[in-house]
Amino acid sequence: QVDLVESGGGLVQAGGSLRLSCAASGSMSSINTMGWYRQAPGKQRELVAFITSRGTTSYADSVKGRFTISRDNAKNTVYLQMNILKSEDTAVYYCNVDGYRSGPTYYTGALWGRGTQVTVSS
C-alpha cells in the first residue's frame, strides 16, 4: 500500500514563510511528476506548482517568485518552500503524484495526500 503524507502546515503571519513536505510511503518508485495543489474555502482546487522526474518546474502565476518546489528522489519526498505569504494563500494544501511504480505495476493515475492546512493571518 502506498500513501502520501503532508506536513509543515500551520498558522503564519503575512510576510512569513512555511515549508511543506510530502513523503511517499510504501512500495513506491519511479515517481513521475510530483505537485502541490490547494483549495481555499468555497473555491475549486487549483494547481500551485509541479516538478517532473527530471526536475522541470512550473508554477501558478499567483505564487511565482514566492514559492519554490523541489524534490528528493532518494527519499520520495517533495517540498514546497513558501515565502512572502499572503492572506490569499490560506488554503488546504494537497500533495499529488502523477505516475509511479509499486512492485511490478506502473500506475498512471493520480495519487493524493490528505492535505495540510495553511493559514496566513493579515
Side-chain angles (χ1 to χ4, degrees):
Q1 178 147 359
V2 297
D3 198 10
L4 298 177
V5 180
E6 301 103 333
S7 62
L11 174 65
V12 64
Q13 288 188 332
S17 299
L18 282 175
R19 189 192 194 208
L20 305 183
S21 299
C22 172
S25 63
S27 176
M28 184 182 284
S29 63
S30 302
I31 298 175
N32 190 14
T33 300
M34 306 182 81
W36 289 95
Y37 289 71
R38 67 186 181 187
Q39 187 166 18
K43 294 187 177 181
Q44 289 188 330
R45 189 173 298 189
E46 63 175 0
L47 175 66
V48 176
F50 70 81
I51 181 168
T52 70
S53 58
R54 295 189 176 187
T56 301
T57 60
S58 181
Y59 298 90
D61 287 343
S62 59
V63 306
K64 281 181 181 177
R66 300 187 298 122
F67 291 9
T68 302
I69 189 170
S70 61
R71 62 190 284 174
D72 184 335
N73 290 329
K75 296 181 178 179
N76 284 347
T77 299
V78 62
Y79 305 96
L80 186 68
Q81 178 66 44
M82 305 185 294
N83 298 328
I84 317 175
L85 283 161
K86 305 175 181 180
S87 57
E88 51 262 45
D89 295 319
T90 295
V92 177
Y93 283 70
Y94 297 91
C95 176
N96 169 274
V97 163
D98 185 13
Y100 63 95
R101 179 176 299 282
S102 182
T105 305
Y106 191 85
Y107 296 88
T108 57
L111 182 66
W112 293 92
R114 294 175 184 81
T116 184
Q117 177 70 47
V118 171
T119 302
V120 184
S121 63
S122 55

